[in-house]
Coordinates of all heavy atoms in Angstrom, one line a residue:
P1 N -6.6 149.5 15.1 CA -5.3 150.0 15.3 C -4.8 150.7 14.0 O -5.1 150.3 12.9 CB -4.4 148.7 15.5 CG -5.4 147.7 16.0 CD -6.6 148.0 15.3
R2 N -4.1 151.8 14.3 CA -3.7 152.7 13.1 C -2.9 151.9 12.1 O -3.0 152.1 10.9 CB -2.9 153.9 13.6 CG -2.6 154.8 12.4 CD -2.0 156.1 13.0 NE -1.7 157.0 11.9 CZ -2.6 157.9 11.4 NH1 -3.8 157.7 11.8 NH2 -2.3 158.7 10.4
S3 N -2.1 151.0 12.7 CA -1.3 150.2 11.6 C -2.0 149.4 10.7 O -1.6 149.1 9.5 CB -0.3 149.3 12.5 OG -1.1 148.3 13.3
I4 N -3.2 149.0 10.9 CA -4.1 148.4 10.1 C -5.0 149.3 9.4 O -5.1 149.2 8.1 CB -4.9 147.3 10.9 CG1 -4.1 146.3 11.7 CG2 -5.9 146.7 10.1 CD1 -3.1 145.4 10.8
F5 N -5.5 150.2 10.1 CA -6.6 151.0 9.6 C -6.0 151.8 8.5 O -6.8 152.1 7.4 CB -7.2 151.9 10.6 CG -8.4 152.7 10.2 CD1 -9.6 152.1 10.3 CD2 -8.4 153.9 9.7 CE1 -10.8 152.6 9.9 CE2 -9.5 154.5 9.2 CZ -10.8 154.0 9.4
S6 N -4.8 152.4 8.5 CA -4.4 153.4 7.6 C -4.2 153.0 6.2 O -4.2 153.6 5.2 CB -3.1 154.1 8.1 OG -2.2 153.0 8.3
I7 N -4.0 151.6 6.1 CA -3.7 151.0 4.7 C -4.6 150.1 4.1 O -4.5 149.6 3.0 CB -2.3 150.4 4.7 CG1 -2.2 149.3 5.7 CG2 -1.2 151.5 5.1 CD1 -0.9 148.5 5.7
H8 N -5.6 149.6 4.9 CA -6.4 148.6 4.6 C -7.9 149.0 4.3 O -8.4 149.9 4.9 CB -6.5 147.5 5.6 CG -5.3 146.5 5.7 ND1 -5.0 145.6 4.7 CD2 -4.2 146.6 6.5 CE1 -3.8 145.1 4.9 NE2 -3.3 145.6 5.9
A9 N -8.6 148.4 3.3 CA -10.0 148.5 3.1 C -10.5 147.9 4.5 O -10.0 146.9 5.1 CB -10.4 147.8 1.9
M10 N -11.7 148.4 4.8 CA -12.4 147.9 6.0 C -13.8 147.4 5.6 O -14.4 148.0 4.7 CB -12.5 148.9 7.1 CG -11.2 149.5 7.7 SD -10.4 148.2 8.5 CE -11.4 147.9 10.0
G11 N -14.3 146.5 6.4 CA -15.7 146.1 6.0 C -16.5 145.9 7.3 O -16.0 145.8 8.4
W12 N -17.8 146.0 7.1 CA -18.8 145.6 8.1 C -19.4 144.2 7.7 O -19.7 144.1 6.5 CB -19.9 146.6 8.3 CG -19.4 147.9 9.2 CD1 -19.1 149.0 8.7 CD2 -19.5 148.0 10.5 NE1 -18.8 149.9 9.8 CE2 -19.0 149.2 10.9 CE3 -19.7 147.0 11.6 CZ2 -18.9 149.7 12.3 CZ3 -19.6 147.3 12.9 CH2 -19.1 148.7 13.3
Y13 N -19.5 143.5 8.7 CA -20.1 142.1 8.4 C -21.1 141.8 9.5 O -21.3 142.5 10.4 CB -19.0 141.0 8.5 CG -17.7 141.2 7.7 CD1 -16.7 142.1 8.0 CD2 -17.6 140.4 6.6 CE1 -15.6 142.3 7.3 CE2 -16.5 140.6 5.9 CZ -15.4 141.4 6.2 OH -14.3 141.6 5.5
R14 N -22.0 140.9 9.2 CA -23.1 140.6 10.2 C -23.3 139.0 10.1 O -23.0 138.2 9.1 CB -24.3 141.3 10.0 CG -25.1 140.8 8.7 CD -26.3 141.8 8.5 NE -27.3 141.3 7.4 CZ -28.3 141.9 6.9 NH1 -28.6 143.1 7.5 NH2 -29.1 141.4 6.0
Q15 N -23.8 138.6 11.2 CA -24.0 137.1 11.4 C -25.4 137.0 12.1 O -25.5 137.5 13.3 CB -23.0 136.4 12.1 CG -23.3 134.9 12.2 CD -22.0 134.1 12.6 OE1 -21.2 134.6 13.2 NE2 -22.0 132.8 12.3
A16 N -26.4 136.6 11.5 CA -27.7 136.3 12.2 C -27.7 135.0 12.7 O -27.0 134.2 12.3 CB -28.8 136.5 11.1
P17 N -28.6 134.7 13.7 CA -28.7 133.4 14.3 C -28.8 132.2 13.2 O -29.8 132.3 12.4 CB -29.9 133.5 15.2 CG -30.0 135.0 15.6 CD -29.5 135.7 14.3
G18 N -28.1 131.2 13.4 CA -28.2 130.2 12.5 C -27.7 130.4 11.0 O -27.8 129.4 10.2
K19 N -27.1 131.5 10.8 CA -26.6 131.8 9.4 C -25.1 132.2 9.5 O -24.5 132.3 10.6 CB -27.3 133.0 8.8 CG -28.9 132.7 8.7 CD -29.5 133.8 7.9 CE -30.9 133.6 7.6 NZ -31.5 134.6 6.8
Q20 N -24.5 132.0 8.3 CA -23.1 132.4 8.2 C -22.9 133.8 8.2 O -23.8 134.7 7.9 CB -22.5 131.8 6.9 CG -22.3 130.3 6.9 CD -21.6 129.7 5.7 OE1 -21.7 130.3 4.6 NE2 -21.0 128.7 5.8
R21 N -21.6 134.2 8.7 CA -21.3 135.6 8.6 C -21.3 136.1 7.2 O -20.8 135.4 6.3 CB -20.0 135.9 9.3 CG -19.6 137.2 9.5 CD -18.8 137.5 10.7 NE -18.0 136.3 11.2 CZ -17.6 136.2 12.4 NH1 -17.9 137.1 13.3 NH2 -16.8 135.1 12.9
E22 N -21.8 137.4 6.9 CA -21.7 137.8 5.5 C -21.3 139.2 5.6 O -21.5 140.0 6.6 CB -23.3 137.7 5.0 CG -24.2 138.6 5.7 CD -25.7 138.3 5.2 OE1 -25.9 137.5 4.2 OE2 -26.7 138.7 5.9
L23 N -20.8 139.7 4.5 CA -20.3 141.1 4.2 C -21.5 141.9 4.0 O -22.4 141.6 3.2 CB -19.3 141.1 3.0 CG -18.8 142.5 2.6 CD1 -18.0 143.0 3.8 CD2 -18.1 142.4 1.4
V24 N -21.6 143.1 4.6 CA -22.6 144.1 4.6 C -22.1 145.2 3.6 O -22.8 145.5 2.7 CB -23.0 144.7 5.8 CG1 -24.0 145.7 5.7 CG2 -23.6 143.5 6.8
A25 N -20.9 145.7 3.9 CA -20.4 146.8 3.1 C -18.9 146.9 3.4 O -18.4 146.5 4.4 CB -21.1 148.1 3.6
S26 N -18.2 147.5 2.4 CA -16.8 147.8 2.5 C -16.4 149.1 2.0 O -17.1 149.8 1.2 CB -16.0 146.7 1.7 OG -16.4 146.8 0.3
I27 N -15.2 149.6 2.5 CA -14.8 150.9 2.1 C -13.2 150.8 2.0 O -12.5 150.3 2.9 CB -15.2 152.0 3.1 CG1 -14.8 153.4 2.5 CG2 -14.8 151.7 4.5 CD1 -15.5 154.5 3.3
T28 N -12.7 151.3 0.8 CA -11.3 151.2 0.8 C -10.6 152.4 1.4 O -11.2 153.3 2.0 CB -10.8 151.4 -0.9 OG1 -11.2 152.7 -1.1 CG2 -11.6 150.4 -1.6
A29 N -9.3 152.4 1.6 CA -8.6 153.4 2.3 C -8.9 154.7 1.7 O -8.8 155.7 2.4 CB -7.0 153.1 2.3
G30 N -9.0 154.8 0.4 CA -9.3 156.0 -0.3 C -10.8 156.5 -0.3 O -11.0 157.5 -0.7
G31 N -11.7 155.6 0.3 CA -13.1 155.9 0.5 C -14.1 155.4 -0.6 O -15.3 155.7 -0.4
S32 N -13.7 154.6 -1.4 CA -14.6 154.0 -2.3 C -15.4 152.8 -1.6 O -14.8 152.1 -0.8 CB -13.8 153.2 -3.6 OG -13.1 154.2 -4.2
T33 N -16.7 152.8 -1.9 CA -17.7 151.9 -1.1 C -18.2 150.9 -1.9 O -18.3 151.0 -3.2 CB -18.7 152.7 -0.3 OG1 -19.4 153.5 -1.4 CG2 -18.1 153.8 0.6
N34 N -18.7 149.8 -1.3 CA -19.4 148.8 -2.0 C -20.4 148.3 -1.0 O -20.1 148.1 0.3 CB -18.5 147.7 -2.5 CG -19.0 146.9 -3.6 OD1 -20.2 147.3 -4.1 ND2 -18.5 145.8 -4.0
Y35 N -21.6 147.9 -1.4 CA -22.6 147.3 -0.5 C -23.3 146.1 -1.1 O -23.4 145.8 -2.2 CB -23.7 148.4 -0.4 CG -23.4 149.7 0.2 CD1 -22.8 150.7 -0.7 CD2 -23.3 149.9 1.5 CE1 -22.4 152.0 -0.2 CE2 -22.9 151.1 2.0 CZ -22.5 152.1 1.2 OH -22.1 153.3 1.8
A36 N -23.7 145.3 -0.1 CA -24.5 144.1 -0.4 C -25.8 144.6 -0.9 O -26.3 145.6 -0.5 CB -24.6 143.2 0.9
D37 N -26.4 143.8 -1.8 CA -27.7 144.2 -2.4 C -28.7 144.4 -1.4 O -29.5 145.3 -1.5 CB -28.1 143.2 -3.5 CG -27.3 143.2 -4.7 OD1 -26.6 144.2 -4.9 OD2 -27.3 142.2 -5.5
F38 N -28.7 143.7 -0.3 CA -29.8 143.7 0.6 C -29.7 145.0 1.6 O -30.6 145.2 2.4 CB -29.9 142.5 1.6 CG -28.4 142.0 2.2 CD1 -28.0 142.7 3.3 CD2 -27.7 141.1 1.7 CE1 -26.8 142.2 3.9 CE2 -26.6 140.7 2.2 CZ -26.0 141.2 3.3
V39 N -28.6 145.8 1.5 CA -28.6 147.0 2.2 C -28.5 148.3 1.4 O -28.4 149.3 1.9 CB -27.4 147.0 3.3 CG1 -27.6 145.8 4.3 CG2 -26.0 147.0 2.6
K40 N -28.3 148.0 0.1 CA -28.1 149.3 -0.8 C -29.3 150.2 -0.7 O -30.4 149.8 -0.7 CB -28.0 148.8 -2.2 CG -26.7 148.2 -2.7 CD -26.7 147.8 -4.1 CE -25.3 147.3 -4.6 NZ -25.2 146.8 -5.9
G41 N -28.9 151.4 -0.5 CA -29.9 152.5 -0.5 C -30.4 152.6 1.0 O -31.1 153.6 1.4
R42 N -30.0 151.8 1.9 CA -30.4 151.9 3.4 C -29.2 152.3 4.3 O -29.4 152.9 5.3 CB -31.1 150.7 3.8 CG -32.4 150.4 3.1 CD -33.2 149.3 3.6 NE -32.4 148.0 3.6 CZ -32.2 147.3 4.7 NH1 -32.7 147.8 5.9 NH2 -31.7 146.2 4.7
F43 N -28.2 151.6 4.0 CA -26.9 151.6 4.9 C -25.8 152.5 4.2 O -25.7 152.5 2.9 CB -26.4 150.2 5.2 CG -27.2 149.4 6.0 CD1 -28.6 149.7 6.4 CD2 -26.8 148.2 6.5 CE1 -29.3 148.9 7.2 CE2 -27.4 147.3 7.4 CZ -28.8 147.7 7.6
T44 N -25.1 153.2 5.0 CA -23.9 153.9 4.4 C -22.6 153.7 5.3 O -22.7 153.8 6.5 CB -24.2 155.5 4.5 OG1 -25.4 155.8 3.8 CG2 -23.0 156.2 3.9
I45 N -21.6 153.2 4.7 CA -20.3 153.1 5.3 C -19.5 154.3 5.1 O -19.5 154.8 4.0 CB -19.7 151.7 4.9 CG1 -18.5 151.4 5.7 CG2 -19.3 151.8 3.4 CD1 -17.8 150.1 5.4

């Protein structure tokens, strides 16, 4: 929803079978990004 998206940082998370949900990557409203080490260089948010 726009009310959320327009002002919040967003993240992609993942949950593998038998494991806890973990953060994959995040992006601020302004476009700054951050990545988990296990996807750096391979994934782009």
